[in-house]
Structures are given as structure tokens and as C-alpha cells.
Amino acid sequence: MSTVLIIGAGIGGIASAARLAKAGYEVLVVEKTDRPGGRASTIEQDGFFFDTGPSLFLMPPTFRETYADLGERMEKHLDLVRIDPTYRVHFHDGSVLDLGSDMNALRDQLDAMEPGAFEALLRFLAQGYRRYTTSLERFVGRNFYSLFDFFAPANLPLLFKLKPLVTHYRDTSKYFKDPRLRAGLSFQNMYLGLSPYEAPATYTLLQFTEMVEGVWYPRGGMYSIITSLTKIAEGLGAKFQYNAPVKSIQVDGNRVVGVTLEDGEVLKADVIVANADLPYVYQDLLPNDPKAAKMDRLKYTSSTLMFYWGLKGKREPALLHHNIFLSDHQYQESFAQIFHENTLPAEPSFYIHAPVRTVPTFAPDDGDALMVLVPTGHLDRQRPQDWDALQARAKAWVFKRLAEIGLNDIEGRIVFEHTLTPPDYRRVWNLAKGATFGLSHNVLQVGYLRPHNRHSRYHNLYFAGASTHPGTGLPIVLLSAKLVEERILKEQSVPKGRTFTPA
Ligand SMILES: Cc1cc2nc3c(=O)[nH]c(=O)nc-3n(C[C@H](O)[C@H](O)[C@H](O)COP(=O)(O)OP(=O)(O)OC[C@H]3O[C@@H](n4cnc5c(N)ncnc54)[C@H](O)[C@@H]3O)c2cc1C
């Protein structure tokens, strides 16, 4: 049996482990931290439960496919609830927009903001639908083995249709004039850590998937995706070793042969799948890789300042499960501050996850659990930031905005607090530049142009995760694991009788 060693137990590592174990490989996952999940982790304290990272369950068919490929029914493992309205967008002028699947409610809200906007939304969604299906079928859910594969004559007209050279904001502006609608239907790029002023119009597919396929939430929390997939992987024979950070990857000529852990233990393998962030692997784990310096010059997504607050007292009805607070009057400036100055905007937009509205047991009876996500620039050696000061400013700003909607006692009700800053993302999960969502998805970093799922020199070293093809987000990383399995089955031989004993 051939041995596969996986570096990292993020969702990409877990899904790869399960798939490869099912395919008959002997699989060992070594994870730096004490648990699976990576960015998709959890905090449980004093009766409060928080998802630390992802909170929007998008593209259910992609999750369903992973479970089915592993011989399981998704519904057996995840009790999914559709969150509808998906979220409430709060604008600077005090108005709100509830985006969801209720077409009548949408018509009333949109036409009140701008006559004819509802009809424009229907056209906008139809366009998003076309981009969604084309992207998924032809560019996201498949391997590209050569540049010709990507730019094949049959793909060129489709690439053109995806409007990669028009920005999302400009495209949205063709449908809507009201700045609130332009902002409310383009900020979703932040899920990919992108600015709508730079992201390609292709990503109008996000609004389609949100409003039509829906935004869902598992009653066990997002972490139940991680626990169920880990259990399935273990059931298929994959082994997980925690508190086992890899220090370096060992190479011999044009092959990788194993890893050395921080404690000095050496583990040999026939194939390695690196789930740890791709630029970090090139820069820190591979010996003198010529691409390591180039990794620094690639574009990265934003980072985030995170607050996890356990509150005593009532569950505020003004907050829905998902809430967006937009600084729409400084919309363009705020993205420039994040993406060009790599800092916290003067007036940041932010997101609040309040899952107790869906799962009442995620806080004590007389309490609430809020996760606040404030997008900010990533780590930049040229522009060092005082992250403690920025964190304090972000916190004060969140309290100010909440007070404006009548929630003026939040600060005094906090009984538990945990925070994350860009340096924490670098330190805890080894994310290059502390970029929360990994490498950016600009036109020059997608498809075949994105760092590949297989190393160009070491043909038995693969990458599954957010910074390789196809990209970031839980369902997209699941696709990455699927594409890696496909490549390994196609490209690697299956020698017999190897085991994971220290060298
Ligand atoms: C705040 C936040 C909000 C998000 N919101 C959403 C959302 O709503 N919906 C959505 O779909 N996606 C969302 N995402 C994105 C999603 O979480 C990621 O795209 C996805 O979890 C990435 O998974 P991964 O397996 O690629 O990487 P990771 O989760 O980073 O896993 C990599 C693993 O490798 C380990 N590792 C690193 N170095 C080493 C080493 N040297 N040795 C051993 N192990 C190592 C790390 O500890 C980690 O466990 C969000 C992310 C964040 C942070």
C-alpha cells in the first residue's frame, strides 16, 4: 500500500485524507495544533459556543458531493437550516436591507430604494447564474494540466463571458444607481478577501448562490462539518496526529521523501499533500525553493480583526443570525485602506455572526454569543501596524455603530472575550502575511495561473487548500481535495507494504 502524509488538518487536509484513505492509501495527517479544522475551528467556554472562522454555509451541492464520494449522506451528518433572510445590511444613513429569498419582500425594499431596482436584481441574478454554472463546470471544478488546457479554444469565449476584466463594482453599477444597492450587492467579495473595486465581475455569482441556493447553517455549528468529516476519514483508516508541527519537508533529487517534525521525528512517505498555506510551505518547509521569493510578490487577500463576545442579558432582536454594517459613504476609500495601505479603514465595515438566533443553546439562557469580523489589511513588512491600537479602534467603532441601532450597552455586558489579529493568523495557523483567506483571486491568480496543486519539480508533492487551485472558502477547498485525489490516482504508483515508522 502506498503511504500519503498530509501536512495540516484544515478542511482541505481532512477531505484529502478521507478521499485518499477510501482510495486505498495508508494516510497519516500531521497537524500543528491540538485539533482538526484549522481556520474553521471553535471556542467553547462557560456555556458559550463560537465558530472561529466560517459561518456561511454556501454551495450545499458541493458539500453533498464530498460526503457522497466518501459513501455517506450529508443529511445524516449535518442538520442544515436555511438562514432566511440571509442577512440584514445596515447602511450608514440608518436604512437597512434584508437580503433573502422572499421575492415580494425584496421587491418592496428594492423599489423603495430605487424605482425599478427589483427588476434589475432579477437580471443581475440571471447573469450571476450564468457565471456560476460556467465557472463551476469549466474552470473551478476541474484540473488544468497545461496552459493550453486553460486557454483552450473552447474556453476562450467562456472566459470572455465571465467578464474577468470588468470589476465587480463596475458591473453591479450597471444594474443599480443607488450607492447603497451598489455596496449591498458587491461587498460579498469580502468573503474571498477581495475588494469589489478589483475583483472580477465573475464573482457576481456569489449573490446568485446566496439568494438562490441559499445560505445554510448546521445546527451543530460549522464545526460539525469538521468533526463529521474527521470521523469519516478515521473510519476509512486515516490516522491523525495532533500537536505535531512539521519543521521541514525532506527531498531527494526530484522527489519529496518525508518530513521532519519540530521534535526531530522523521516520517517517510511516498506522497505528501501539503494542506498548510501554500506560500508558507514554499517559504518555510521546502529547502531553498526558487519560487519562495516569488510567493512574497503575489497578491494576498485581506486579513481580519476578530472578536468573540459572550454576553450576559437579553438576545437583541435587532440582530439577525448574520448582520453586515457597511460604511457605504466611505466605501471605496475603505477598500483602498485595506488593500493598498494594508491597514484598518478609518470607518470600517464589519460583520456580526449571532447564531444563537438559530441554535439557542450556543449561549446560556440569559446570554448571547457574538462573533464580530472586521476586515483589515494583511501583514506588510513595508507598513508595520500597531495591531493592539487598531484592535482597540475597531472595537470602539463596533460599539459606536451598535449604539446607533439602539444597542448601547453591549460593552458592559461582555463576560467572555477572545480576539484574533493578523499576527495571530500567522502564528497559530502559519497563514502567509496573516492573510485570512489565503492568496488573492485576481485574474492573474485563478485557474491555471494560480499556484498549482502539484509542485513543478517534486512530482509527488501536492497542495490542497485555500491558496492553491481552485481557491478559498469551505466548498471550494473541498473541490481542491477532490482535484488532488484525481491527480494522485492518475499520477502516482501504488507500491506495497510501506508504513509510517520513524526513519
Ligand atoms: C474569519 C473567517 C471567516 C470565514 N468565513 C467563511 C465562510 O463564511 N464560508 C466559507 O465557506 N469560508 C469562510 N472562510 C474561509 C475558510 O475558512 C477557508 O477557506 C478554509 O477553512 C481553508 O481551509 P484549508 O484547509 O485550506 O486551510 P486551514 O484551515 O488553514 O488548514 C491548514 C492547517 O494546516 C496546519 N498547519 C500549518 N502549518 C503546519 C505545519 N508546519 N505542520 C503541521 N500543520 C500545519 C494549520 O494548523 C491548519 O490546521 C473564512 C475564514 C476565516 C478565517
Side-chain angles (χ1 to χ4, degrees), residues 336-396:
Q337 285 153 359
I338 294 174
F339 291 95
H340 299 158
E341 296 167 34
N342 284 329
T343 188
L344 179 71
E347 299 199 1
S349 299
F350 60 92
Y351 158 74
I352 297 187
H353 186 219
V356 172
R357 277 91 195 126
T358 305
V359 190
T361 52
F362 279 5
D365 286 346
D366 60 341
D368 204 353
L370 306 182
M371 172 185 98
V372 184
L373 181 162
V374 189
T376 184
H378 59 63
L379 300 176
D380 176 357
R381 273 195 297 273
Q382 312 301 323
R383 293 187 183 80
Q385 308 286 318
D386 180 345
W387 291 109
D388 288 344
L390 295 185
Q391 189 184 43
R393 180 155 73 72
K395 191 172 174 178

Side-chain angles (χ1 to χ4, degrees), residues 7-14 30-33 35-40 52-58 63 191 222 244-247 262 275-277 280 285 304 306 308 351 371 373 425 428-431 436-437 464-467 471-477:
I7 305 172
I11 192 164
I14 302 165
V30 283
E31 163 57 42
K32 172 179 183 272
T33 69
R35 66 180 68 186
R39 278 166 263 190
T52 52
S55 54
L56 301 159
F57 186 103
L58 292 165
F63 286 89
Y191 306 165
M222 297 297 277
V246 170
K247 187 174 174 205
E262 287 287 350
N275 167 236
D277 200 26
Y280 155 80
L285 299 187
T304 48
M306 307 293 299
Y308 307 90
Y351 158 74
M371 172 185 98
L373 181 162
Y425 280 111
V428 179
W429 294 290
N430 287 331
L431 299 184
T436 306
F437 308 93
S467 287
T472 199
L474 297 175
I476 306 299
V477 175

Side-chain angles (χ1 to χ4, degrees), residues 56-60 82-87 89 97-107 109-110 117-126 128-129 132 168 172 176 181 184-188 191 203-216:
L56 301 159
F57 186 103
L58 292 165
M59 300 172 65
R82 184 165 183 171
I83 307 301
D84 202 5
T86 309
Y87 38 73
V89 186
L97 174 64
D98 286 353
L99 285 173
S101 69
D102 181 337
M103 289 291 134
N104 272 327
L106 274 173
R107 185 184 54 187
Q109 293 181 90
L110 264 73
F118 177 67
E119 202 188 317
L121 178 77
L122 297 179
R123 285 186 280 115
F124 182 71
L125 289 177
Y129 172 56
Y132 181 68
H168 192 150
T172 307
F176 310 101
L181 293 177
L185 292 163
S186 67
F187 77 85
Q188 292 81 356
Y191 306 165
Y203 297 133
T204 53
L205 58 83
L206 284 168
Q207 284 87 16
F208 165 78
T209 175
E210 271 189 1
M211 292 173 73
V212 180
E213 281 185 339
V215 172
W216 300 74

